[in-house]
Amino acid sequence: QKEVEQDPGPLSVPEGAIVSLNCTYSNSAFQYFMWYRQYSRKGPELLMYTYSSGNKEDGRFTAQVDKSSKYISLFIRDSQPSDSATYLCAMSWNSGNTPLVFGKGTRLSVIA
Amino acid sequence: GAGVSQSPSNKVTEKGKDVELRCDPISGHTALYWYRQSLGQGLEFLIYFQGNSAPDKSGLPSDRFSAERTGGSVSTLTIQRTQQEDSAVYLCASSLAGGAGNTYGYTFGSGTRLTVV
């Protein structure tokens, strides 16, 4: 079992839909959780950062962490064609010198 | 520069040849990471440099892979005797501080797309 599991999709939704992206993980020591967005032929860019459990909202994006279930989610409201990209979850167990562990990424297409 | 710069953006090489990939991080970023992204495999950690500390090489897949960071800035990833399975996008990232405690996260370059034929 990989440390971080993420459904690769592809996921296709109509414009305006609510999108739910998810990751599960096996290491209960993970405390830092991030979502990155990657456009085609570009490097990933940080979208959301969450420490420990709870919710965090930023505009149309909401990140949720449920440590008891080892499950994290990213919700996108009122999805736009410009949201079409690959979304990668990433996490780590400390704030020190430990590189992030990434999921495989979910490819999202928002159709106008 | 304003972002992380990687060169070349694309590289096609023959099996058995050596290649060097370059990463120029954001000025002032003390941490530098190399990841490999293969189709359907996600981002695979390769190596991590933090300041003057010894690099974390735990992700390097074989002794054909090596990396160095000169003067705490530019880094070069070298792959010797390339194999077809080395074909992937090699991504470099830098951050202000090491690890996940940095809320600014990593800033990635656009990657080098390596094709071994």
Side-chain angles (χ1 to χ4, degrees), chain A residues 2 32 34 36 38 41-46 49 86 88 91-105, chain B residues 10 33 35 37 40-43 45 48 50 53 56 91 98-111 113:
Chain A
K2 288 184 93 54
Y32 299 85
M34 301 180 184
Y36 282 79
Q38 185 177 24
R41 295 191 173 263
K42 297 290 186 184
E45 56 179 339
L46 181 65
Y49 172 98
T86 296
L88 301 109
M91 50 196 78
S92 184
W93 52 88
N94 65 35
S95 62
N97 301 324
T98 306
L100 293 176
V101 179
F102 284 84
K104 289 185 177 182
Chain B
N10 286 283
Y33 315 81
Y35 281 81
Q37 188 172 33
Q41 295 302 313
L43 268 71
F45 165 70
Y48 161 51
Q50 170 57 41
S53 302
D56 176 356
L91 289 161
N102 170 23
T103 58
Y104 298 101
Y106 298 177
T107 301
F108 281 89
S110 293
R113 187 172 299 270

Coordinates of all heavy atoms in Angstrom, one line a residue, chain A residues 2 32 34 36 38 41-46 49 86 88 91-105, chain B residues 10 33 35 37 40-43 45 48 50 53 56 91 98-111 113:
Chain A
K2 N 0.6 2.2 -1.0 CA 1.4 3.4 -1.0 C 0.9 4.3 0.2 O -0.2 4.2 0.7 CB 1.1 4.1 -2.3 CG 1.8 3.4 -3.5 CD 1.5 4.2 -4.8 CE 2.7 5.2 -5.1 NZ 4.0 4.7 -5.2
Y32 N 0.8 17.8 8.2 CA 0.8 18.9 7.3 C 0.2 18.4 6.0 O 0.7 17.5 5.4 CB 2.2 19.5 7.1 CG 2.8 20.0 8.4 CD1 3.5 19.1 9.3 CD2 2.7 21.3 8.8 CE1 4.0 19.5 10.4 CE2 3.3 21.7 10.0 CZ 3.9 20.9 10.8 OH 4.4 21.3 12.0
M34 N -1.3 19.5 2.0 CA -1.4 20.6 1.0 C -2.0 20.0 -0.2 O -2.1 18.8 -0.5 CB 0.1 21.0 0.6 CG 0.9 21.5 1.8 SD 2.5 22.0 1.3 CE 3.2 22.5 2.9
Y36 N -1.8 20.9 -4.4 CA -1.1 21.6 -5.5 C -2.0 21.4 -6.7 O -2.6 20.4 -7.0 CB 0.2 21.0 -5.7 CG 1.3 21.5 -4.7 CD1 1.4 20.9 -3.4 CD2 2.2 22.5 -5.0 CE1 2.3 21.3 -2.5 CE2 3.2 22.9 -4.1 CZ 3.2 22.3 -2.9 OH 4.2 22.7 -2.0
Q38 N -1.6 21.6 -11.0 CA -0.6 21.5 -12.0 C -1.3 21.6 -13.4 O -2.0 20.7 -13.8 CB 0.2 20.2 -11.9 CG 1.3 20.1 -12.9 CD 2.2 18.9 -12.7 OE1 1.7 17.9 -12.2 NE2 3.4 18.9 -13.2
R41 N 2.2 20.8 -18.7 CA 3.5 21.2 -19.0 C 4.1 22.3 -18.1 O 5.0 23.1 -18.5 CB 3.7 21.6 -20.5 CG 3.5 20.4 -21.4 CD 3.9 20.6 -22.8 NE 3.8 19.4 -23.6 CZ 4.8 18.6 -23.8 NH1 6.0 18.9 -23.4 NH2 4.7 17.5 -24.5
K42 N 3.5 22.4 -16.9 CA 3.9 23.4 -15.9 C 4.3 22.6 -14.6 O 3.8 21.4 -14.4 CB 2.9 24.4 -15.6 CG 2.5 25.3 -16.8 CD 3.7 26.2 -17.2 CE 3.3 27.2 -18.3 NZ 4.4 28.0 -18.7
G43 N 5.0 23.3 -13.7 CA 5.2 22.7 -12.4 C 4.0 22.9 -11.5 O 3.2 23.8 -11.7
P44 N 3.9 22.0 -10.5 CA 2.8 22.2 -9.5 C 2.9 23.5 -8.8 O 4.0 24.0 -8.5 CB 2.9 21.0 -8.6 CG 3.8 20.0 -9.3 CD 4.7 20.8 -10.2
E45 N 1.7 24.1 -8.4 CA 1.7 25.4 -7.6 C 0.8 25.1 -6.4 O -0.2 24.5 -6.5 CB 1.2 26.5 -8.5 CG -0.2 26.3 -9.1 CD -0.6 27.5 -9.9 OE1 -0.1 28.6 -9.6 OE2 -1.5 27.4 -10.7
L46 N 1.3 25.7 -5.3 CA 0.5 25.5 -4.0 C -0.8 26.2 -4.1 O -0.9 27.4 -4.4 CB 1.3 26.0 -2.9 CG 0.7 25.9 -1.5 CD1 0.6 24.4 -1.1 CD2 1.5 26.6 -0.4
Y49 N -3.0 25.0 2.0 CA -2.1 24.5 3.1 C -2.9 24.3 4.4 O -3.6 25.3 4.8 CB -0.9 25.4 3.3 CG -0.1 25.0 4.4 CD1 1.1 24.3 4.2 CD2 -0.4 25.4 5.7 CE1 1.9 24.0 5.3 CE2 0.5 25.1 6.8 CZ 1.6 24.4 6.6 OH 2.4 24.0 7.6
T86 N -4.4 19.2 -13.2 CA -4.2 18.0 -12.3 C -4.0 18.5 -10.9 O -3.3 19.5 -10.7 CB -3.0 17.2 -12.8 OG1 -3.3 16.7 -14.1 CG2 -2.7 16.1 -11.8
L88 N -2.9 17.7 -7.1 CA -2.1 16.7 -6.3 C -2.2 17.0 -4.8 O -2.0 18.2 -4.4 CB -0.6 16.8 -6.7 CG -0.3 16.5 -8.2 CD1 0.2 17.8 -8.8 CD2 0.8 15.5 -8.3
M91 N 1.6 15.7 1.6 CA 1.6 15.7 3.1 C 2.9 15.4 3.7 O 3.8 14.8 3.0 CB 0.5 14.8 3.6 CG 0.5 13.4 3.1 SD -1.1 12.5 3.4 CE -2.1 13.3 2.1
S92 N 3.1 15.7 5.0 CA 4.3 15.4 5.7 C 4.0 15.3 7.2 O 3.0 15.7 7.6 CB 5.4 16.5 5.4 OG 6.6 16.1 6.1
W93 N 5.0 14.7 7.9 CA 4.7 14.4 9.3 C 5.4 15.4 10.2 O 5.2 15.4 11.4 CB 5.1 13.0 9.8 CG 6.5 12.6 9.4 CD1 7.6 12.8 10.1 CD2 6.8 11.9 8.2 NE1 8.6 12.2 9.3 CE2 8.2 11.7 8.2 CE3 6.1 11.5 7.0 CZ2 8.9 11.1 7.2 CZ3 6.7 10.8 6.0 CH2 8.1 10.6 6.1
N94 N 6.3 16.2 9.7 CA 6.9 17.2 10.6 C 7.2 18.5 9.8 O 7.1 18.5 8.5 CB 8.2 16.7 11.3 CG 9.3 16.4 10.3 OD1 9.5 17.1 9.3 ND2 10.0 15.3 10.6
S95 N 7.6 19.5 10.5 CA 7.9 20.8 9.9 C 9.4 20.9 9.6 O 9.8 22.0 9.2 CB 7.4 21.9 10.8 OG 8.1 21.9 12.0
G96 N 10.1 19.9 9.9 CA 11.5 19.9 9.7 C 12.0 19.5 8.3 O 11.3 19.8 7.3
N97 N 13.1 18.8 8.3 CA 13.7 18.5 7.0 C 13.2 17.2 6.4 O 13.9 16.3 6.0 CB 15.2 18.5 7.2 CG 15.7 19.8 7.7 OD1 15.2 20.8 7.3 ND2 16.7 19.7 8.5
T98 N 11.9 17.1 6.2 CA 11.3 15.9 5.6 C 10.5 16.3 4.3 O 9.6 17.1 4.4 CB 10.3 15.2 6.5 OG1 11.0 15.0 7.8 CG2 9.8 13.9 5.9
P99 N 10.9 15.8 3.2 CA 10.2 16.2 1.9 C 8.8 15.7 1.9 O 8.4 14.8 2.6 CB 11.0 15.4 0.9 CG 12.3 15.2 1.5 CD 12.1 14.9 2.9
L100 N 8.0 16.5 1.2 CA 6.6 16.1 1.1 C 6.4 14.8 0.3 O 7.2 14.5 -0.6 CB 5.8 17.2 0.3 CG 5.7 18.6 1.0 CD1 5.1 19.6 0.0 CD2 4.9 18.5 2.2
V101 N 5.3 14.1 0.7 CA 4.9 12.9 0.0 C 3.7 13.3 -0.8 O 2.7 13.8 -0.3 CB 4.6 11.7 1.0 CG1 4.1 10.5 0.2 CG2 5.8 11.4 1.8
F102 N 3.7 13.0 -2.1 CA 2.6 13.4 -3.0 C 1.8 12.2 -3.4 O 2.2 11.1 -3.5 CB 3.2 14.0 -4.3 CG 3.7 15.4 -4.1 CD1 5.0 15.6 -3.6 CD2 2.9 16.5 -4.5 CE1 5.5 16.9 -3.5 CE2 3.4 17.8 -4.3 CZ 4.7 18.0 -3.8
G103 N 0.5 12.5 -3.7 CA -0.4 11.6 -4.3 C -0.1 11.6 -5.8 O 0.7 12.4 -6.3
K104 N -0.7 10.7 -6.6 CA -0.5 10.6 -8.0 C -1.1 11.7 -8.8 O -0.8 12.0 -9.9 CB -1.0 9.3 -8.6 CG -0.2 8.1 -8.1 CD -0.8 6.8 -8.8 CE 0.1 5.6 -8.5 NZ -0.4 4.4 -9.2
G105 N -2.1 12.4 -8.2 CA -2.8 13.5 -8.9 C -4.1 13.1 -9.5 O -4.2 11.9 -10.0
Chain B
N10 N 13.4 20.4 -22.5 CA 13.3 19.1 -23.1 C 14.7 18.6 -23.5 O 15.6 19.3 -23.9 CB 12.5 19.2 -24.4 CG 11.0 19.4 -24.2 OD1 10.3 18.5 -23.8 ND2 10.5 20.7 -24.3
Y33 N 14.8 20.8 -3.8 CA 14.3 19.4 -4.0 C 14.3 19.0 -5.4 O 14.0 19.8 -6.3 CB 12.9 19.3 -3.4 CG 12.6 19.9 -2.1 CD1 12.3 21.3 -2.0 CD2 12.6 19.2 -1.0 CE1 12.0 21.9 -0.8 CE2 12.3 19.8 0.3 CZ 12.0 21.1 0.3 OH 11.8 21.7 1.5
Y35 N 12.3 16.1 -7.8 CA 11.3 15.1 -7.9 C 11.3 14.6 -9.3 O 11.6 15.3 -10.2 CB 9.9 15.6 -7.5 CG 9.6 15.8 -6.0 CD1 10.1 16.9 -5.3 CD2 8.9 14.8 -5.3 CE1 9.9 17.0 -4.0 CE2 8.6 14.9 -4.0 CZ 9.1 16.1 -3.3 OH 8.9 16.2 -2.0
Q37 N 8.5 12.9 -12.1 CA 7.1 12.7 -12.4 C 7.0 11.8 -13.7 O 7.2 12.3 -14.8 CB 6.4 14.0 -12.6 CG 4.9 13.9 -12.7 CD 4.2 15.2 -12.6 OE1 4.7 16.2 -13.1 NE2 3.0 15.3 -12.0
G40 N 1.4 8.5 -14.8 CA 0.6 7.7 -13.9 C 1.3 7.3 -12.6 O 0.7 6.5 -11.8
Q41 N 2.4 7.9 -12.3 CA 3.1 7.6 -11.1 C 3.2 8.7 -10.1 O 3.7 8.5 -9.0 CB 4.6 7.1 -11.4 CG 4.6 5.9 -12.2 CD 4.0 4.7 -11.5 OE1 4.2 4.5 -10.3 NE2 3.1 4.0 -12.2
G42 N 2.8 9.9 -10.4 CA 2.8 11.0 -9.4 C 4.2 11.5 -9.3 O 5.2 11.1 -10.0
L43 N 4.4 12.3 -8.2 CA 5.8 12.8 -8.0 C 6.5 11.9 -7.0 O 6.1 11.6 -5.9 CB 5.6 14.2 -7.3 CG 5.6 15.4 -8.3 CD1 4.3 15.5 -9.1 CD2 5.8 16.7 -7.5
F45 N 10.0 11.5 -4.9 CA 11.1 12.3 -4.3 C 12.4 11.7 -4.7 O 12.6 10.4 -4.7 CB 10.9 12.3 -2.8 CG 12.2 12.7 -2.1 CD1 12.6 14.0 -2.1 CD2 12.9 11.8 -1.4 CE1 13.7 14.4 -1.5 CE2 14.0 12.2 -0.7 CZ 14.5 13.5 -0.7
Y48 N 17.2 16.0 -1.6 CA 16.8 17.2 -1.0 C 18.0 17.9 -0.4 O 18.8 17.2 0.3 CB 15.8 16.9 0.1 CG 15.6 17.9 1.2 CD1 15.3 19.2 1.0 CD2 15.6 17.4 2.6 CE1 15.1 20.1 2.0 CE2 15.4 18.3 3.6 CZ 15.2 19.7 3.3 OH 15.0 20.6 4.3
Q50 N 19.4 21.1 2.0 CA 19.0 22.1 3.0 C 20.2 22.8 3.5 O 21.0 22.3 4.2 CB 18.2 21.5 4.1 CG 17.9 22.5 5.3 CD 17.2 23.7 4.9 OE1 16.2 23.7 4.1 NE2 17.6 24.9 5.4
S53 N 23.8 21.5 5.1 CA 23.6 20.1 5.6 C 23.9 19.1 4.5 O 23.7 19.4 3.3 CB 22.3 19.9 6.2 OG 22.0 20.8 7.3
D56 N 19.8 14.8 1.6 CA 19.0 13.6 1.8 C 18.9 12.9 0.5 O 18.1 13.4 -0.4 CB 17.6 14.0 2.4 CG 16.7 12.8 2.6 OD1 17.1 11.6 2.2 OD2 15.6 13.0 3.1
L91 N 11.4 17.4 -12.0 CA 11.0 18.7 -11.4 C 11.9 19.1 -10.3 O 12.3 18.3 -9.4 CB 9.5 18.6 -10.9 CG 8.4 18.5 -11.9 CD1 7.2 17.9 -11.3 CD2 8.2 19.8 -12.6
G98 N 13.3 24.3 5.1 CA 13.0 22.9 4.8 C 11.7 22.4 5.3 O 11.2 22.9 6.3
G99 N 11.2 21.3 4.7 CA 10.1 20.6 5.3 C 8.8 21.3 5.1 O 8.6 22.3 4.4
A100 N 7.8 20.7 5.7 CA 6.4 21.1 5.4 C 5.9 22.2 6.3 O 4.8 22.7 6.1 CB 5.5 19.9 5.6
G101 N 6.7 22.6 7.3 CA 6.3 23.6 8.2 C 6.3 25.0 7.5 O 5.7 25.9 8.0
N102 N 6.9 25.1 6.4 CA 6.9 26.3 5.6 C 5.5 26.5 4.9 O 5.2 25.8 4.0 CB 8.0 26.3 4.6 CG 7.9 27.4 3.6 OD1 7.4 28.4 3.8 ND2 8.5 27.2 2.4
T103 N 4.7 27.4 5.4 CA 3.4 27.6 4.8 C 3.3 28.1 3.4 O 2.3 28.0 2.8 CB 2.5 28.5 5.7 OG1 3.2 29.8 5.8 CG2 2.4 28.0 7.1
Y104 N 4.4 28.5 2.9 CA 4.5 29.0 1.5 C 4.7 27.8 0.6 O 4.6 28.0 -0.6 CB 5.6 30.0 1.3 CG 5.4 31.2 2.1 CD1 6.1 31.4 3.3 CD2 4.5 32.2 1.7 CE1 6.0 32.6 4.1 CE2 4.3 33.4 2.5 CZ 5.1 33.5 3.6 OH 4.9 34.7 4.4
G105 N 5.0 26.7 1.1 CA 5.1 25.5 0.3 C 6.3 25.5 -0.6 O 7.2 26.4 -0.4
Y106 N 6.3 24.7 -1.6 CA 7.4 24.6 -2.5 C 7.0 25.5 -3.7 O 5.9 25.5 -4.1 CB 7.6 23.2 -3.1 CG 8.0 22.1 -2.1 CD1 8.2 20.8 -2.5 CD2 8.2 22.4 -0.7 CE1 8.5 19.8 -1.6 CE2 8.6 21.4 0.2 CZ 8.7 20.1 -0.3 OH 9.1 19.1 0.6
T107 N 8.1 26.1 -4.4 CA 7.9 26.7 -5.7 C 8.6 25.8 -6.7 O 9.8 25.6 -6.6 CB 8.5 28.1 -5.7 OG1 7.8 28.9 -4.8 CG2 8.2 28.7 -7.1
F108 N 7.8 25.3 -7.6 CA 8.4 24.3 -8.6 C 8.8 25.1 -9.9 O 8.1 26.1 -10.2 CB 7.3 23.3 -9.0 CG 7.2 22.2 -8.0 CD1 6.3 22.3 -6.9 CD2 7.9 21.0 -8.1 CE1 6.1 21.2 -6.0 CE2 7.8 20.0 -7.2 CZ 6.9 20.1 -6.2
G109 N 9.8 24.5 -10.5 CA 10.1 24.9 -11.9 C 9.1 24.2 -12.8 O 8.3 23.4 -12.4
S110 N 9.2 24.4 -14.1 CA 8.4 23.8 -15.1 C 8.9 22.4 -15.5 O 8.2 21.7 -16.3 CB 8.3 24.7 -16.4 OG 7.5 25.9 -16.1
G111 N 10.1 22.1 -15.0 CA 10.6 20.7 -15.3 C 11.4 20.6 -16.5 O 11.4 21.4 -17.4
R113 N 11.7 17.7 -19.4 CA 11.1 16.4 -20.0 C 12.2 15.6 -20.6 O 12.8 16.0 -21.7 CB 10.0 16.8 -21.0 CG 9.2 15.6 -21.5 CD 8.0 16.1 -22.3 NE 7.1 16.9 -21.5 CZ 6.1 16.5 -20.8 NH1 5.8 15.2 -20.8 NH2 5.3 17.3 -20.2

